Amino acid sequence: MLDAPATNKTKTTNSRTIGSTWGEKGLNKNLVVKIRPVLEGNIEGGQGAQTYDADASQPTVESIFEDAEFTIESQYSTPFESSNPEGRLPNLMGMIQSGQAAAAGYSIFAAAGGGVVADVADAAANFIGAKDVIESGQAELEGLMGKSNFTKLNSRQIFTSSNSIRITGSLVFQAWSDAATEVEAAVSQLQRWASAKSLSKTSLIVGALDEGLSAMFPSEIPPMVQLQYGGKTYKPMVIESVSAPITAPMTKDGNRIAVKVQVTFLSLTAWDQQNIIDMSR
């Protein structure tokens, strides 16, 4: 429903912000990207009614977004390709299209050399009344040379599925006064959000004997996040990858002064048109 109430409005909280203080330096707020975990709510409302609100207990990572791209990718196929004669009888159709079938017919008659074999074949064709049919078929084969049964109808693309929305780009972190907070803490926080909250060290069999069914799922997955940039909110997303250099200009304490982090976000599910509309609300 296009008039459905927006559910991605950011709630104001008092949680702290880490990362470069670009906004405090006068940069337009729409040029500052904000990344923050979200919590899934309203599960009782049923599938499709969930809400995703910012997690007030988690910090917000701010940065500049460079070379960012928003990618929508869908899969299409042409199932009719294998239903035509060319797909079922490729050799025969190839011979007809290339003219080899007609040439083969002429080669057979030429091999007879007009002798006794040719006379017998000609007499037999006349006797059963098939001579005209053979000659007509030979002429039709010649007419099919250079033709194809590939058409716009049997090449129509059929929608099969969509991938998750993918957002890629570079996050720029630069220290103005405190490299530990503005760079190191921000990069570390992104790396933690891209990693599982915890992975169990106990085997499933041992855990099931001690704790029952809940022990079959002992690990915790990474959190979902929201990405805010340019007046749009993208959520719920997951962080697929975070790539940061470990060699960079550093302070005497080993804190990097400036780094550029390559990051990739994926939407939790495939999106439809309503999701595109909602991200601008």
Side-chain angles (χ1 to χ4, degrees):
M1 296 176 59
L2 298 181
D3 57 349
T7 59
N8 61 357
K9 185 177 180 180
T10 304
K11 295 183 177 181
T12 58
T13 63
N14 296 320
S15 63
R16 65 191 181 95
T17 298
I18 56 178
S20 302
T21 56
W22 299 103
E24 297 178 6
K25 302 302 179 183
L27 186 66
N28 187 315
K29 65 178 182 179
N30 287 321
L31 299 179
V32 178
V33 62
K34 297 182 179 181
I35 305 164
R36 190 176 187 183
V38 294
L39 296 175
E40 185 173 15
N42 193 32
I43 299 177
E44 297 83 358
Q47 292 184 345
Q50 295 94 328
T51 59
Y52 299 93
D53 296 317
D55 186 353
S57 66
Q58 295 290 316
T60 300
V61 172
E62 292 189 0
S63 177
I64 288 182
F65 218 5
E66 287 189 350
D67 302 322
E69 294 185 357
F70 178 86
T71 304
I72 301 175
E73 185 176 300
S74 297
Q75 283 75 49
Y76 287 83
S77 64
T78 53
F80 308 112
E81 288 181 349
S82 59
S83 65
N84 55 35
E86 202 162 65
R88 298 181 180 275
L89 302 170
N91 292 336
L92 177 59
M93 294 300 103
M95 291 179 65
I96 293 175
Q97 185 181 126
S98 64
Q100 292 186 39
Y106 286 119
S107 298
I108 293 174
F109 287 109
V116 177
V117 176
D119 293 338
V120 172
D122 188 61
N126 283 324
F127 179 76
I128 62 176
K131 183 174 182 180
D132 292 340
V133 176
I134 295 175
E135 291 178 350
S136 176
Q138 191 70 27
E140 289 186 6
L141 286 176
E142 292 179 16
L144 293 177
M145 181 177 177
K147 299 293 184 67
S148 172
N149 52 35
F150 182 76
T151 67
K152 289 186 177 180
L153 290 178
N154 63 25
S155 63
R156 180 173 177 138
Q157 296 290 328
I158 303 300
F159 176 81
T160 56
S161 64
S162 290
N163 290 340
S164 294
I165 299 300
R166 182 181 297 270
I167 299 177
T168 60
S170 301
L171 300 174
V172 179
F173 295 100
Q174 181 174 325
W176 294 90
S177 58
D178 185 3
T181 301
E182 297 174 282
V183 178
E184 291 296 339
V187 174
S188 176
Q189 187 64 73
L190 287 175
Q191 292 171 335
R192 279 181 281 171
W193 288 340
S195 305
K197 291 181 180 179
S198 65
L199 295 177
S200 175
K201 299 179 181 179
T202 305
S203 69
L204 298 182
I205 296 177
V206 174
L209 294 175
D210 293 338
E211 302 178 28
L213 183 60
S214 62
M216 297 297 292
F217 300 87
S219 302
E220 293 187 72
I221 65 174
M224 292 176 287
V225 301
Q226 69 177 18
L227 175 71
Q228 294 177 296
Y229 183 73
K232 297 180 176 62
T233 300
Y234 308 87
K235 69 177 182 180
M237 310 289 288
V238 295
I239 302 177
E240 182 186 44
S241 65
V242 174
S243 177
I246 59 176
T247 56
M250 298 180 181
T251 66
K252 63 179 182 179
D253 299 320
N255 297 319
R256 288 165 290 185
I257 298 174
V259 295
K260 183 178 290 189
V261 178
Q262 307 297 324
V263 64
T264 300
F265 299 89
L266 294 179
S267 61
L268 187 62
T269 65
W271 280 15
D272 57 17
Q273 295 185 16
Q274 186 59 49
N275 292 112
I276 305 297
I277 296 171
D278 289 342
M279 71 182 185
S280 298
R281 291 184 175 183

